[in-house]
Amino acid sequence: MTATVPDLEGKTFGTSEPYVVERAKIIEFATAIHAAHPYHYDADAARAAGYRDVIAPPTFTAVVQAGIIEQMFAEMGITPDPTSLVAVHTSETMTVTEPVTAGDRLTARLVVAEITRRGPAAFLTLRCHIVGADGNERVEVVSTVVVGPPPEE
């Protein structure tokens, strides 16, 4: 069986509303991933280092991307149904221009940059741009997702 993936190359998905970064959410996320740096927990330490408030670990941007990834998967027919297409996140790189801090209002734009078909699978290269309310890009995330047919029983 081959994965029938719609040709979404070049398609853009975006957030409809800004994601407001809360200090408590940064602390919760940093705790969950065992991030040890005090700048993730202590606003005074972060400000003394020149940041506006506590800073989020770079992978916090997954929270901002979640909704648009869902949009893309829905358009591709990927659902929790085990008989639908299956997606596996295989790689990711992040370029942080400016750390995400508590109080930021972020939007995201995801572009399906490339689709490469190999055997029954499709490899999607995704570029997601996380932008602050000032219009400046904070983080660019480039990831690869492999989409394949459901496992045969």
Side-chain angles (χ1 to χ4, degrees), residues 22-28 30-31 35-57 100-102:
E22 298 174 11
R23 182 183 298 150
K25 291 295 182 186
I26 290 175
I27 293 169
E28 178 182 15
T31 301
H37 205 288
Y39 296 170
H40 302 308
Y41 304 94
D42 184 342
D44 291 333
R47 286 188 190 109
Y51 300 107
R52 292 183 303 280
D53 206 316
V54 295
I55 61 171
V100 170
T101 60

Side-chain angles (χ1 to χ4, degrees), residues 20-152:
V20 179
V21 180
E22 298 174 11
R23 182 183 298 150
K25 291 295 182 186
I26 290 175
I27 293 169
E28 178 182 15
F29 187 87
T31 301
I33 66 166
H34 304 285
H37 205 288
Y39 296 170
H40 302 308
Y41 304 94
D42 184 342
D44 291 333
R47 286 188 190 109
Y51 300 107
R52 292 183 303 280
D53 206 316
V54 295
I55 61 171
T59 52
F60 182 84
T61 58
V63 174
V64 181
Q65 296 177 70
I68 55 178
I69 295 286
E70 268 183 31
Q71 288 175 32
M72 182 190 71
F73 282 168
E75 193 158 322
M76 294 174 68
I78 297 171
T79 68
D81 177 355
T83 63
S84 79
L85 294 173
V86 177
V88 178
H89 185 229
T90 60
S91 70
E92 182 171 87
T93 59
M94 295 180 166
T95 304
V96 178
T97 306
E98 182 181 340
V100 170
T101 60
D104 282 347
R105 297 174 61 81
L106 304 173
T107 56
R109 182 176 51 85
L110 180 139
V111 178
V112 180
E114 182 178 21
I115 298 176
T116 304
R117 298 175 196 286
R118 293 185 189 136
F123 291 69
L124 284 69
T125 302
L126 309 174
R127 289 188 176 278
C128 188
H129 304 275
I130 311 292
V131 177
D134 57 4
N136 293 330
E137 184 169 277
R138 299 298 178 80
V139 181
E140 179 189 43
V141 182
V142 178
S143 56
T144 303
V145 174
V146 179
V147 178
E152 294 183 25

